[in-house]
Every structure is written in C-alpha cells, then in structure tokens.
Amino acid sequence: GNSVTQMEGPVTLSEEAFLTINCTYTATGYPSLFWYVQYPGEGLQLLLKATKADDKGSNKGFEATYRKETTSFHLEKGSVQVSDSAVYFCALRGSARQLTFGSGTQLTVLP
Amino acid sequence: DAGVIQSPRHEVTEMGQEVTLRCKPISGHDYLFWYRQTMMRGLELLIYFNNNVPIDDSGMPEDRFSAKMPNASFSTLKIQPSEPRDSAVYFCASSFAVLGGYTFGSGTRLTVV
C-alpha cells in the first residue's frame, strides 16, 4: 500500500537559516504529492503540491520537487522566519481517493 | 468562501455519553473525509464519502463510531458511548475531484473524562 516517511523531528533553527524536511514515499502508479502545514490550534492547510514527476510546487518561499527516481518530495526554504514555526506534513494521493500522511515534523524557528 | 466549518470547537463530555461532531464542507466539493489526530497515532482516516455515499469506513475504530452525510452540505460523526481513549482532535476535510488537495476544518477537540 501507499506510505509516506518523513524526517523525524523536532527541528529547531535560527531565523534566516535554510530549511530542509525530507520526505520519501512508496506508492503504485503516479501519485500526487502534497505538503501541509498545521499551526497551533488549527487545522491542516495546503502549503504546496505537485501532480507529476519533475513538477516543482512552491508557495510562501517554500519549494518541493517531485522526484520519481528517488521517490522523494523534500520541502525546502531558503530563509525561515519565526512565523514558519508549525508542524509540516508530507502526503500523497494515489489511486485510492484518500490522502496518506506522514507523521509530521515539528519546526521551531528561534529569533 | 467560509471554508470547511466544524462544530463544536471544543467538547468535554463524561464517559458513556453520546457525542456528535458536525461538519459543513465547501460548497461544490464532492469528497468529505473525517480524520482523528492524536499524539500517539498521528492523523488517522476514519471514513470518507463521495457524493454523500460512504466509500471506505475501514478506519472507524469500532461500532461505537458512526458517520452520516444526509446531504451535500452536512455530515456528522457520532460516538456512542464515548470513552476516555476517544479523546483527540477530530478533523473534517473536503475536496473537489479525485486528485485535488483537501481543505481542512479547524477541528473539534474532544475530551472524554
């Protein structure tokens, strides 16, 4: 079946540092890939997505590239801000209709 | 668009009581999902609907849980009787079409004492 493996957290960075959160997946066929962000006390919000190999999703300075050869969708940001502190979830949607989520990575950015 | 609306935001109930969680999806979305989030188990899919029809309820933990979607604009998740281990945040999400991303509600934090 489908599965998503995320980098273990928590991750703590200083403001303006470079961020990478690793995500790899297992799926049959050609899934769509997503990153969601959850701020404290809120629901998950779609951050970015990619629907086919080599697509790059981007939003709010975050980027992730769909790498089919390495089955990866790593999240990156060049310069994080305190306001980026949240939990980040990698997810895929394959032939089944539901999203399969990773376990989430807690990010804390210190001023 | 007001987004996915869940109610109540918080619910505290005693063990053995019936609990009903409510969800209004985004108008025009044809898929609706119920998830449960806990520290120990992360996000778990409980059930999802397509065009108001339940498609996969294999994630519903046991017969105490039931979900309905009487029309395209409303769904309920009911727990009867509730137990302390049901304490979690319950999220509803909706989406349009097969490969779209989800829009999540703000969740209902359920505490069973």
Side-chain angles (χ1 to χ4, degrees):
Chain A
N2 296 339
S3 68
V4 176
T5 302
Q6 263 185 257
M7 173 177 169
E8 290 281 333
V11 174
T12 302
L13 296 172
S14 298
E15 203 165 26
E16 299 185 1
F18 184 84
L19 168 71
T20 300
I21 301 178
N22 290 339
C23 171
T24 57
Y25 69 89
T26 301
T28 55
Y30 302 94
S32 294
L33 301 175
F34 305 83
W35 276 101
Y36 281 80
V37 58
Q38 184 178 28
Y39 299 101
E42 298 183 12
L44 280 71
Q45 300 174 26
L46 179 63
L47 181 59
L48 53 85
K49 67 178 181 181
T51 57
K52 60 183 187 295
D54 299 325
D55 269 2
K56 177 185 284 188
S58 62
N59 186 25
K60 299 180 181 179
F62 291 90
E63 294 182 339
T65 301
Y66 188 162
R67 302 285 187 200
K68 189 166 177 61
E69 64 275 14
T70 54
T71 62
S72 65
F73 193 56
H74 304 321
L75 182 68
E76 296 182 336
K77 187 175 185 182
S79 176
V80 293
Q81 305 300 311
V82 172
S83 57
D84 294 327
S85 297
V87 181
Y88 293 81
F89 292 89
C90 185
L92 71 82
R93 194 172 191 184
S95 56
R97 303 300 183 251
Q98 64 268 33
L99 280 171
T100 300
F101 286 92
S103 57
T105 301
Q106 171 76 54
L107 170 67
T108 301
V109 180
L110 303 176
Chain B
D1 195 325
V4 176
I5 300 172
Q6 290 187 247
S7 63
R9 286 298 305 273
H10 302 276
E11 176 80 38
V12 181
T13 191
E14 291 185 348
M15 182 173 63
Q17 296 299 305
E18 177 181 295
V19 176
T20 299
L21 311 181
R22 297 173 175 80
C23 175
K24 176 178 169 57
I26 290 176
S27 176
H29 281 192
D30 55 350
Y31 284 85
L32 184 139
F33 305 82
W34 282 101
Y35 280 84
R36 179 171 66 177
Q37 185 179 38
T38 61
M39 288 294 293
M40 291 297 295
R41 301 171 70 96
L43 277 164
E44 301 174 276
L45 176 66
L46 299 178
I47 185 172
Y48 77 94
F49 297 83
N50 178 219
N51 291 323
N52 313 337
V53 176
I55 303 301
D56 184 352
D57 65 354
S58 60
M60 296 286 261
E62 45 197 278
D63 291 346
R64 298 185 296 104
F65 286 68
S66 63
K68 294 182 179 179
M69 192 165 186
N71 57 62
S73 59
F74 184 65
S75 177
T76 59
L77 177 68
K78 185 177 294 186
I79 308 172
Q80 166 64 19
S82 57
E83 297 182 2
R85 60 193 169 117
D86 302 331
S87 298
V89 181
Y90 291 81
F91 287 104
C92 175
S94 69
S95 78
F96 174 68
V98 171
L99 295 178
Y102 296 1
T103 300
F104 280 80
S106 298
T108 294
R109 181 173 296 276
L110 173 65
T111 303
V112 183
V113 298

